[in-house]
Amino acid sequence: MRSYRRRRLVVPALLCALLLLVVRPAEAVGDGEGEGAAGAVSDLGLSGQVARLYEDAARATERYEAGRQKAERQRARAQRIEGLLDRERREIGALREDLGRIARAQYRTSGGMPLTAQLILASSPEQLMRGQHVFSQTNLAVGNAIEKNRRAETRLAKDEARAEAAWRNLEKRNAALAELKRGVEEKLEEARWQLQGEADASVAAGSCPGAVRLDQKGKESTSAWVTPVESYELSAGFGNGGQRWANRHTGQDFAVPIGTPVRAVGDGRVVKVRCAGAFGMEIVVRHTDGYYTQYAHLASVAVDRDERVDTGQWIGQSGTTGNSTGPHLHFEVRITPELGSSVDPAPWLSKRGAPLG
């Protein structure tokens, strides 16, 4: 008979790993940082709501992507398990064939001959004992084969049921993660445009509403210099020409959604906070090396004039105020605080260890 003791251990082990992967995404769904957190932001100001939802959306996306990647790994495991289950099915078929061969052999060799007939036909006690031994061994083999077949069929049924249940649970957890992500993103999009509406009203009135402090726990930078936004796509670069600018583009644009936290690229002091004109809401910071950086088209400001800022500190949120064709951050590096003294931000940041990706 064929042995499959090793595979008996492999299939349950893989199933356990599969079930663990299902449980972990479930924990991510109910960790209290998603929908509950999004629903609790009403006590914050609108800027704070957007900042919190921005973070929630990032975490929801991370969990969704982690769940999706685990699903892909689990899909491969499930396919491997299905292969092993197929081998179990073939083993059961082989066991049944073995049972048939044993039964046929027993019949041909008169293994089932009554004991009285064996006593009459035996030519010697030794022959009788040998016959009885063969008979006993054959019966034992048949009994073992039947029991082995029964256990294998029972185990196969359980393994198949567990694999199917694990896969259903995985699909359910991934659907929950996708729904969580979609809900947070919808809330964030709505809050973003509310924030932009308030910012447009402030710029139209020519006055800033005042600094709205943003909770930035655990976001302190360990670098001396950073990029003005953490995640972005580069759009218009320094020196670009076009109908949007009177001469040439004086900064580097970062295409980011409304409400994206904007960071001070280095230590310094705020020398200007303004909410009017072509730049809309803008902040200018003087750094310790004498250069100035400007952050424009904002939707909110989180600092006041003369305030000291640290590298990586959130000083506002991106938007599309002023002369802007869409949500982005306009970032300039200047020799003086005024327009007309700008230098190319890309090599300036790269020289300081914060290259643009």
Side-chain angles (χ1 to χ4, degrees):
M1 293 185 195
R2 302 179 189 179
S3 172
Y4 56 100
R5 186 177 303 166
R6 182 178 63 84
R7 287 191 290 276
R8 288 172 55 187
L9 298 175
V10 171
V11 173
L14 283 172
L15 283 167
C16 287
L18 185 147
L19 286 168
L20 281 174
L21 285 175
V22 169
V23 170
R24 288 173 184 166
E27 293 170 350
V29 172
D31 63 4
E33 293 181 358
E35 239 172 350
V41 298
S42 58
D43 293 337
L44 306 172
L46 188 53
S47 294
Q49 289 183 42
V50 174
R52 174 69 64 81
L53 287 166
Y54 181 90
E55 294 290 291
D56 288 347
R59 284 193 294 268
T61 299
E62 281 183 13
R63 291 196 294 270
Y64 174 76
E65 286 301 312
R68 186 186 60 78
Q69 292 171 11
K70 286 179 180 179
E72 290 302 316
R73 291 194 296 270
Q74 185 169 323
R75 192 183 304 277
R77 284 186 174 91
Q79 290 172 349
R80 184 180 177 190
I81 289 171
E82 183 59 33
L84 292 174
L85 291 176
D86 283 340
R87 294 175 70 174
E88 282 191 16
R89 295 183 189 103
R90 291 195 295 272
E91 291 288 353
I92 290 175
L95 282 173
R96 288 172 177 165
E97 291 178 5
D98 288 341
L99 282 172
R101 284 195 296 272
I102 291 172
R104 289 191 296 273
Q106 189 178 18
Y107 177 79
R108 285 195 301 270
T109 58
S110 300
M113 186 180 294
L115 181 59
T116 303
Q118 293 184 45
L119 289 171
I120 294 172
L121 295 175
S123 59
S124 67
E126 289 78 10
Q127 183 182 1
L128 177 62
M129 293 298 294
R130 282 197 300 272
Q132 283 296 99
H133 179 71
V134 170
F135 175 68
S136 298
Q137 289 298 105
T138 301
N139 280 343
L140 180 61
V142 170
N144 287 342
I146 292 173
E147 178 61 21
K148 189 174 184 181
N149 181 74
R150 185 190 64 77
R151 290 197 305 267
E153 289 182 339
T154 301
R155 184 170 52 255
L156 173 62
K158 289 181 179 179
D159 288 347
E160 288 176 329
R162 290 174 65 190
E164 178 63 24
W167 189 252
R168 286 197 305 269
N169 286 337
L170 173 70
E171 293 297 325
K172 181 179 178 181
R173 297 301 183 262
N174 280 347
L177 284 171
E179 180 64 18
L180 172 66
K181 178 174 177 286
R182 184 190 63 79
V184 173
E185 287 175 344
E186 286 181 355
K187 291 185 177 74
L188 175 58
E189 187 66 12
E190 181 181 354
R192 277 171 170 161
W193 286 106
Q194 289 179 9
L195 178 65
Q196 182 62 44
E198 290 187 359
D200 288 337
S202 295
V203 171
S207 62
C208 290
V212 178
R213 306 299 172 177
L214 301 175
D215 184 6
Q216 194 180 355
K217 292 179 181 178
K219 292 287 184 179
E220 292 78 9
S221 176
T222 57
S223 303
W225 298 89
V226 296
T227 56
V229 284
E230 188 172 358
S231 180
Y232 55 85
E233 289 184 12
L234 296 176
S235 49
F238 181 79
N240 286 171
Q243 297 179 349
R244 289 177 291 173
W245 308 291
N247 295 302
R248 293 283 178 176
H249 193 222
T250 55
Q252 173 65 59
D253 286 351
F254 295 80
V256 290
I258 294 168
T260 301
V262 174
R263 311 186 291 186
V265 297
D267 293 344
R269 187 175 297 278
V270 178
V271 297
K272 180 191 288 187
V273 176
R274 186 167 181 261
C275 298
F279 286 120
M281 280 191 183
E282 63 170 315
I283 297 170
V284 177
V285 175
R286 185 183 189 279
H287 298 285
T288 54
D289 61 359
Y291 281 91
Y292 296 81
T293 54
Q294 180 210 30
Y295 313 78
H297 304 311
L298 303 177
S300 78
V301 295
V303 290
D304 292 315
R305 185 175 177 178
D306 293 328
E307 183 176 335
R308 190 185 183 285
V309 295
D310 298 322
T311 301
Q313 179 180 334
W314 289 352
I315 59 175
Q317 291 167 286
S318 65
T320 182
T321 54
N323 183 17
S324 172
T325 59
H328 72 283
L329 169 69
H330 175 84
F331 174 73
E332 286 192 20
V333 177
R334 299 172 176 174
I335 297 173
T336 73
E338 304 303 327
L339 179 65
S341 62
S342 58
V343 299
D344 192 343
W348 188 85
L349 284 170
S350 181
K351 184 178 179 181
R352 287 159 175 75
L356 301 181

